[in-house]
Amino acid sequence: MKVLVIGNGGREHTLCWKLLQSKQIEQVVCVPGNGGTASRENCYNLSLAVDDFENISKYASNQSISLVVVGPEVPLAKGIADYLKSQGLMVFGPSKAGAQIEASKAWAKALMQEAGIPTAKAAVFTEAKAALSYVKAQGAPIVVKADGLAAGKGVTVAVTVEQAQAAIEAIFQGQFGSAGKFVVIEECLTGQEVSVLALTDGLTIRPLLPAQDHKRIGEGDTGENTGGMGAYAPAPIASPALMERIQKEVLEKAIAALKAKGIDYRGVLYAGLMITPLGEFKVLEFNCRFGDPETQAILPLLETPLEDLILACVQQRLGEMPPITWKQGSAVTVVVASGGYPGAYELGKVITGIEKAEALGATVFHAGTKIHASQIVTDGGRVLNVTGVGENFEQALAQAYAGIECIHFEGMYYRRDIGYRVSSEE
Ligand code: AMP
Ligand code: GLY
């Protein structure tokens, strides 16, 4: 089998790495890929934009690609799955209609309310004045969200009414372009966040191990929001009993609600949840794809061949699959970023020590890297994901950080406290 993976981040490198562990898969092509996918055996990059559907489709048809796995939300929201399917290709990822669950927060909120899925109380506005009076009536803290895709930057957790006001004005003044046609204003929840990613064929839904991301740039969860600075799986906060409830009260309800709308959703359904101090949960958001960096911690623990699960989703026979099996133990991934991220940063810094880190047992998944003059250089904000796997959380954590100690590039930054909640609870 030849597989095409769409995207260029750490998530996509991890998908390629996992798929290539299978004897059934002879080649993986990553579009456009990164320095990691370019340097792996039987893995190649194809330099096309992720929304160049026509050329992706032509290439896949000409090269007898058996399966296309879509990483990021943007091409899904633009309808890549619909287009490639119409060209006779097999695609893992929801249709444009299904991707609305991530691409429109107002749409997702309405779906949750209709389906009775626990979520924060919210109201949707199409102009600033009404939004502002609502905020004044509710008071702070309060959460302001641009409706559409904003690369993780469209949410403001406002501590004061003035901050909420500034966020509303920025959205309606076009800070996020068409993603800011509506704003969703939400009650502010407190607690611990958990990411529950699940595979679905539109009928059956199978959760993967729960993971916890670290969204802020600074240690102790301070500073600006980022795409994610590290993750671990399984997240002990999501106990088996809680996971069972999340499956029934969130995931199954969401799939049933999508089906009732005529949406045949096949791919990953990712629920971002807040677990309150009393152990209750509410959905903060749904995503229509694998999480990044959660995937870099979840897939190294997966024992069931990934392509078997993906094909079962695409062919709508997930219900016939035996339960998903996992390695015992834990995985931790730590993101190494360019100095300055999530603000401005420089590119093109030479990276050394990756082989040394891997010789110690860590796995290094590339994100913002490329090959330049036979060297791996930085090419983005989040540069590498160093993953450790161990019999327990501490071993996995130690392996990830021992790996990072070997790696160097000018200005590199990483959080030294990934998983601090686990460590502090034990
Ligand atoms: P979202 O893209 O909707 O997941 O929001 C991004 C981040 O904003 C989440 O991961 C949370 O950290 C935070 N957030 C979103 N909604 C809320 C809420 N209702 N209460 C508190 N924090 C929130
Ligand atoms: N880790 C957050 C996300 O993938 O959206």
Side-chain angles (χ1 to χ4, degrees):
M1 254 175 99
K2 286 188 195 169
V3 181
L4 201 74
V5 172
I6 310 278
N8 65 351
R11 164 182 55 206
E12 287 76 20
H13 187 188
T14 312
L15 286 165
C16 294
W17 168 86
K18 191 71 193 172
L19 290 166
L20 281 166
Q21 288 175 359
S22 162
K23 288 200 182 72
Q24 283 189 69
I25 297 178
E26 63 197 87
Q27 194 186 91
V28 176
V29 178
C30 198
V31 183
N34 58 35
T37 53
S39 13
R40 212 160 263 285
E41 205 183 336
N42 300 325
C43 198
Y44 305 91
N45 287 354
L46 173 66
S47 178
L48 288 175
V50 297
D51 58 0
D52 185 353
F53 300 168
E54 213 179 305
N55 282 311
I56 291 173
S57 170
K58 275 188 195 146
Y59 176 88
S61 302
N62 291 340
Q63 298 296 317
S64 315
I65 295 287
S66 318
L67 171 70
V68 181
V69 179
V70 186
E73 63 279 15
V74 169
L76 289 167
K78 287 187 175 172
I80 192 169
D82 312 71
Y83 183 82
L84 297 181
K85 261 188 219 160
S86 75
Q87 303 301 304
L89 293 159
M90 205 142 63
V91 194
F92 179 72
S95 61
K96 183 174 179 173
Q100 288 179 93
I101 203 158
E102 173 166 3
S104 168
K105 291 185 189 291
W107 192 89
K109 187 60 84 175
L111 183 100
M112 287 188 255
Q113 286 164 347
E114 283 160 33
I117 294 170
T119 185
K121 193 177 104 187
V124 179
F125 297 92
T126 51
E127 48 102 19
K129 207 168 149 226
L132 278 173
S133 17
Y134 180 78
V135 162
K136 283 183 187 145
Q138 297 291 315
I142 195 152
V143 181
V144 178
K145 300 182 174 186
D147 177 61
L149 296 178
K153 299 190 178 80
V155 175
T156 302
V157 180
V159 183
T160 62
V161 168
E162 290 68 34
Q163 276 175 4
Q165 179 168 356
I168 291 167
E169 281 163 0
I171 291 171
F172 284 120
Q173 279 161 14
Q175 187 185 0
F176 303 108
S178 61
K181 270 200 285 197
F182 306 113
V183 337
V184 179
I185 299 186
E186 240 177 59
E187 128 196 50
C188 186
L189 303 174
T190 50
Q192 268 200 58
E193 285 180 52
V194 67
S195 305
V196 178
L197 282 63
L199 301 176
T200 180
D201 64 358
L203 300 174
T204 300
I205 187 144
R206 294 273 175 91
L208 303 178
L209 290 179
Q212 192 165 55
D213 186 8
H214 298 65
K215 292 211 165 124
R216 304 293 193 97
I217 187 71
E219 283 159 21
D221 294 328
T222 53
E224 282 182 81
N225 255 329
T226 69
M229 293 304 291
Y232 59 90
I237 175 110
S239 64
L242 196 63
M243 283 296 282
E244 213 166 288
R245 284 191 57 200
I246 291 170
Q247 163 132 9
K248 291 213 159 48
E249 296 169 38
V250 174
L251 301 171
E252 287 174 5
K253 281 188 178 172
I255 287 303
L258 288 162
K259 199 160 163 264
K261 287 189 183 298
I263 297 172
D264 180 10
Y265 190 106
R266 303 185 195 188
V268 175
L269 181 64
Y270 159 161
L273 300 133
M274 187 73 90
I275 314 285
T276 68
L278 295 174
E280 281 306 310
F281 53 83
K282 287 189 178 169
V283 175
L284 295 174
E285 63 167 345
F286 280 116
N287 294 319
C288 63
R289 50 169 175 86
F290 284 105
D292 188 338
E294 290 92 328
T295 303
Q296 291 86 303
I298 295 172
L299 291 188
L301 296 172
L302 179 67
E303 268 180 0
T304 307
L306 178 62
E307 71 283 6
D308 290 353
L309 292 167
I310 287 181
L311 288 171
C313 289
V314 175
Q315 297 166 343
Q316 205 160 61
R317 48 178 180 74
L318 189 61
E320 295 162 26
M321 291 289 287
I324 300 177
T325 59
W326 299 97
K327 278 197 186 92
Q328 286 300 312
S330 282
V332 177
T333 192
V334 181
V335 171
V336 184
S338 295
Y341 173 81
Y345 49 82
E346 290 175 12
L347 301 177
K349 308 291 181 195
V350 175
I351 306 170
T352 57
I354 292 175
E355 288 87 5
K356 227 167 141 191
E358 296 208 310
L360 289 181
T363 307
V364 181
F365 297 117
H366 294 224
T369 74
K370 67 174 183 184
I371 298 178
H372 177 72
S374 308
Q375 287 179 307
I376 301 277
V377 301
T378 66
D379 195 38
R382 291 190 295 171
V383 175
L384 299 170
N385 305 260
V386 182
T387 299
V389 176
E391 281 171 21
N392 53 41
F393 171 79
E394 287 72 21
Q395 280 182 14
L397 187 75
Q399 192 181 63
Y401 280 109
I404 288 188
E405 290 292 313
C406 305
I407 291 171
H408 179 77
F409 61 86
E410 193 189 316
M412 72 183 249
Y413 169 80
Y414 59 94
R415 274 180 62 168
R416 288 162 202 268
D417 68 341
I418 298 305
Y420 74 92
R421 285 203 168 91
V422 180
S423 315
S424 64
E425 274 160 22
E426 280 174 354

